[in-house]
Amino acid sequence: GCGNDSPASADPAGTAVPALDPANPVTVKVINTSTAFNVALAKDYGFFRKYGLDIQESQLANGTQVLAALQGGSGEIGYADLYAGINAKAQGFDIKLVANNNTNAEEFPILVKADGPIKSPADLAGRSIALPPVPQHTVNLRGFLKSNGVDPNAVKYTIVQSQSAAPQALAGGSVDAFFGQWIQAYSNEGQPGAYDFRVLGDPDSSKWSNLKATTAAFWVTGDWLKDPKNQAVAYAFDKALHASYVWFKTLKPEQLQPILLRYQKTDLQKITGNDPKKVHNLLTNTQTGPFDFDATQSWYQLGLEYAPDKIQKGVDLRQLVYGSALQPAPELIQPPENPS
Amino acid sequence: MPDTIVTGTEAREAERKPPASGIRPVGRARRNARRYFRSRVSGWTLVALVVVLWELYSNVDYDPTISSPSRIAETWWGEATTGDLLNQLTITLRTMAEALALAVPLGVGIGFLMGRSQVIWGLLEPLVEILRLTPATAILPIYILFLGLGDQMKVAVFLTGGIFPMIINSYAGARGVSKILSETAQTFRLSWLQTQREIALPFAMPYILVGMRQSLGMSLVLAVVIGMLAGNDGIGYYLMFAQQNFNLRQLLAGVLTVAFVGYVFNAVFLLLERRVTRWRRSQTGAA
Amino acid sequence: MPDTIVTGTEAREAERKPPASGIRPVGRARRNARRYFRSRVSGWTLVALVVVLWELYSNVDYDPTISSPSRIAETWWGEATTGDLLNQLTITLRTMAEALALAVPLGVGIGFLMGRSQVIWGLLEPLVEILRLTPATAILPIYILFLGLGDQMKVAVFLTGGIFPMIINSYAGARGVSKILSETAQTFRLSWLQTQREIALPFAMPYILVGMRQSLGMSLVLAVVIGMLAGNDGIGYYLMFAQQNFNLRQLLAGVLTVAFVGYVFNAVFLLLERRVTRWRRSQTGAA
Amino acid sequence: MTSTTEAQAAALTGGVHQEIITVEGAGKDYLALDGNVVRGLSPVDLTIERGAFVSLVGRSGCGKSTFLRLVAGLEKPTSGTIRIGTERVDGPPDSARYVFQNYNESLLPWRTVGDNIRFGLRHGHGAARASSKAQENELIQEHLEEVGLGGTFNRYPGELSGGMQQRVAIARALAALPELLLLDEPFSAVDALSRSTLQDLILRIWQEHGLTVLFVTHDIEEALYLSQRVIVLREKGGGVERDVTVDIPYPRRQVDFREDPRYLRLRREVLGLVLGTE
Amino acid sequence: MTSTTEAQAAALTGGVHQEIITVEGAGKDYLALDGNVVRGLSPVDLTIERGAFVSLVGRSGCGKSTFLRLVAGLEKPTSGTIRIGTERVDGPPDSARYVFQNYNESLLPWRTVGDNIRFGLRHGHGAARASSKAQENELIQEHLEEVGLGGTFNRYPGELSGGMQQRVAIARALAALPELLLLDEPFSAVDALSRSTLQDLILRIWQEHGLTVLFVTHDIEEALYLSQRVIVLREKGGGVERDVTVDIPYPRRQVDFREDPRYLRLRREVLGLVLGTE
Ligand SMILES: Nc1ncnc2c1ncn2[C@@H]1O[C@H](COP(=O)(O)OP(=O)(O)OP(=O)(O)O)[C@@H](O)[C@H]1O
Ligand SMILES: Nc1ncnc2c1ncn2[C@@H]1O[C@H](COP(=O)(O)OP(=O)(O)OP(=O)(O)O)[C@@H](O)[C@H]1O
Ligand SMILES: [Mg+2]
Ligand SMILES: [Mg+2]
């Protein structure tokens, strides 16, 4: 790669960029997608302030809208899928990835009716599966099918944008399975007053994807980055965010319980019974270390292979990533503040 | 030479008798309101029936998506007292009020002027129709690009979504002014402005009010939709949150709250409408 | 004893002269259409102006979010000829036609009956108003549960979203029947059904048509929104796809196609409306 | 002009008193929008025999239209009762047709003149009068020609002159061939010649079909020329002032009648009552 | 009744011929919705002097209203021109007010009777007639009393009888004090007594303020009693049949006038023209 246009990308440690002054925090407008609480958490526990940032968060329904909002200047840093970023870049938007955030989850639940006719992945041939429209779900679903020995082309895909409507589509019988989230799986597995679903096949995503690849991240516009002060903000943002994740991953289920209740109105105990495996599946796909070019490139390739109509070709990842996202994982620190 | 005016007991007596077609006692807001609600009793009974059947059904075959009325009521009570529901509702209503404060004069104004001036009609019709037929939610990114994420954007989406019933109805009303009233205005040499104020506007008022009531409803629905797509507060955000967390009971409690608030607004508006178009009672044969 | 009827050249001459207020030549669809489009020329000029300014601006400061008219046109042409746009549009229009085939009789029927019968009004008003004020998109899961993901669900969402302008306008029209026409019906002893068919329906027709035109627009917008939320084909799906791919040019090409199709429908409908309410021309002072 | 029918003769001579309209203390107070009660008509006692031709005269606002509306069942009396035949009026009676004072608003503006008459034919009293569409059209054309509107079949009411509209309303009511015809100033907008033609038309139809006619007019000479009884109402809804019998036999002729000394005496009497010089 | 003003005298005696209305070959063909052309009025040549009182009579549908509408600028002539003073009519002239034949539809139904008169006052010809609201209300009350509607200030037009509505329309036009008053059968719905009161009211206002009045009526006696000229129109838009000068001086008195031999001669002449017996 030739990162000439982004000088800082040659500076993974960010030594050329001065740290911000926590006593005089810089106000930054961050746009998140709905219901993600990562930014709020890091803010409330003082991670951002420690690195000199005062975050004002707002939320939009999807990554496309977030990137449009960055372009219009109503936000400075925004959260979107890697594929959304790639598509935006390919369409001529000048954007940069400033902090990698997610990898694929280790496991993905494909849900079917517990008492339904589908007992194994092989039964999915010729059936229809509901999934959200975001390209990464198509890629993962096809990956899952292939690694479970089903021909991805033998399955009918049904798009349901509204995530919460997928269980109804399955319960009402208009689809035979759906590509869901663990929270849907756990809350409909033998819970009273819930649908009776179960998880199908082997959900291990390392079978088809590289778990070091970045699948979603925080982005800024090239224009914004031209200001040296903003470059410092980018570095600080990545550090603070990753520091909050380093701490978060150390939390025990009983410590997580009040946090999830507060931010997601989710009763972790009730849904998972504090089963560590379930807790893990619900919460850990955040990254703390530097952006991995090779792994992410392979994820990009996988996308081009599985969803060629949804993902644009020819974007150079090295031109997409800013140096702040290349910083090493921070040390564990305890939260500087406690919101309660 | 005054006409025979009967007052006192005789008048009261006349009122007690069933009023003749088209003529009703007026000015007694209380009695009005009573009759008003009385006549809908059957409808509310129907609604109650639906609720009871739903409750019974959910005892036999519970479905988490539609939950049951009692559980929804319970959730609602919790959300209203200790939760965030009423706060978020207030926020939404504030935005809605802002949007309507802009949309009403604009919508009524544009529609009315289009109906009263062939030139303005010709000039604006294509633009208005194209905007009316452009789904605001589809081009939300463009709104966000230009107007950001704040109230401005929300108000703009309201406008492009909720203003059209007012435009179309005001237009229809303004165009419908009877020939002879127009001619009366002409022969009394009313200026253009006077004609609008004294003839066309009162004439179009019943239409305009119908449009406003429709816009009121649509803007409430839009408030929810926008909130779900791009909100950081308000009832739409609340609902989206419930949806994302798969808390359908909370979702239904929220939706029903919205519908009920809308219903009350609508009822108040209808009472106002009756006052404003009081004179029509001797003109229309409406029962 | 016929009135003086002038025919032949004299008649043609009289037509060439500017017609007097309210009275116009009729029955010549071609000339009608010409005048019809002529009068909107100014508006289309305005639209053209907006497009030209946009093009010029995008040459100076290109913004990929709003793209430029020429690029959008290029994309549109590509999509229309080799792409999927027109296919998807056809699918959407088919669903829409199905929905309207149901919604028109239902909406007009309910609104009209509510306007003509106090009992039906009382019975249905609460239910209708509550449904009107319930955002269909918020309770989409419930629709999907009961109706699945197919056309049935889409039609139902259309219904609950697009039927209300027809109900409200038909209601207003039906209630507005003038007292003396009602009395005429009564003294000629028309049965309830005859009164509706021969008096109330023709009277309410202008209102009903306004409502239908609004519903037409709304159902188009809804078709897009539903397609975006839960669709596997149709223009809404196409647009969602474009949005996901960040192909805003494709998105805009799609949205503008929808708006244009809607505009044409609307214009055709307006022509029909003019025919049906031809008699009104000697009644209203509309220019 | 042919002679009167039996029923009419009976009504006149007092032979078989068969009441068609019985009014017992019926009066009407309106409740106006400003909250006041307005006297429309003081309680009235009255009977009208089947087959009679009765006129109502009185000053503007004295309650003539109110009386007609009460009989037509369009307004509920605030006191008393009205019976048509033996049935209490509680809605428009089957046998009556009404030509409204505001005739222009009572025509169906969306129907052509011909179709307005068709409306009268189809909603007539008794059996259908035409068995085929062609026959119906012929009948309509006849009715139009009777009121001097032969060439207007395909015109819309809004395209006619005031007097022409009024005649359409009359023709429509006649097409319905009612037993009881209520006419509220039906000739107010037509010229002198049309007026006398229409007067004789009404008389002819009255006699041919034995209808009962209640006729409101401001033209006292017209009232006397047409009717067997002229009821004079008191100002401002004051009720019946005088019930004048016009004891002049039919057929009456426009010119001769106006020279009849009985007519001249009655004319002076009624004029005096209305003008208040008595 | 006072004597005529100077202008009126001049108009009568032929002293200073100052035309207010000049009609040159003006005619009107309507294009009906069924596609046919209907003759409203054949081309007419006519002048009317300032201050004149001119009546138009003729059979129903002969074009009286059409003529008034042409003069009022509500209808464009299909041939010829009309001038008011020296200006060509191309829209309603500032100086004219019109009482429509369908008076009931021309009142503003959403305003009370008083406010309908206020409408006339506020949109009058010339300077405002009231300087304060109180004075205005007084003036309105006076106007109402003049037409016998003293107690109806707060009622709505829809709550009045037909004749009462008609009188509101007259009072509204008079309140505007126009130079040119166009009256289309303004007394068709009122009783004999009201009619003669209103006739004398119009005559008084005509004389006091020197207006020009164009008056359409079907009552030939009324036309003769009121006017200096009676223009008889030919049937079915046939144009002017005869222009009759009523050479009887004002003041005229209701009873005496009707015994004047000149009146009786003219009456016979005009009746003959209208009834077609000449
Ligand atoms: N808007 C119109 N469209 C078509 N024809 C019309 C229109 N208005 C009037 N006419 C025709 O013009 C002719 C003259 O009408 P006008 O109203 O002038 O008659 P009029 O003398 O006032 O009659 P009346 O005494 O009945 O009021 C009639 O044949 C009428 O049908
Ligand atoms: N709907 C109404 N509301 C209130 N008052 C009314 C209503 N209709 C009539 N009146 C009043 O009742 C009285 C009688 O009215 P009505 O119409 O019977 O008079 P009329 O004898 O027909 O007069 P005209 O000769 O002027 O038509 C009038 O004072 C009128 O104002
Ligand atoms: Mg009357
Ligand atoms: Mg006329």
Side-chain angles (χ1 to χ4, degrees), chain C residues 38-53:
Chain C
R38 205 192 301 141
S39 53
R40 279 161 170 153
V41 167
S42 62
W44 282 110
T45 314
L46 194 70
V47 171
L49 207 73
V50 169
V51 171
V52 167
L53 284 178

Side-chain angles (χ1 to χ4, degrees), chain A residues 64 91 158-159 161 309-310, chain C residues 65 228-229 232 243 245-246:
Chain A
T64 316
Q91 293 292 340
T158 299
I159 301 289
Q161 179 165 45
D309 56 340
K310 292 184 174 168
Chain C
T65 310
M228 290 180 78
L229 286 174
N232 295 295
Q243 226 188 40
N245 280 343
F246 240 96

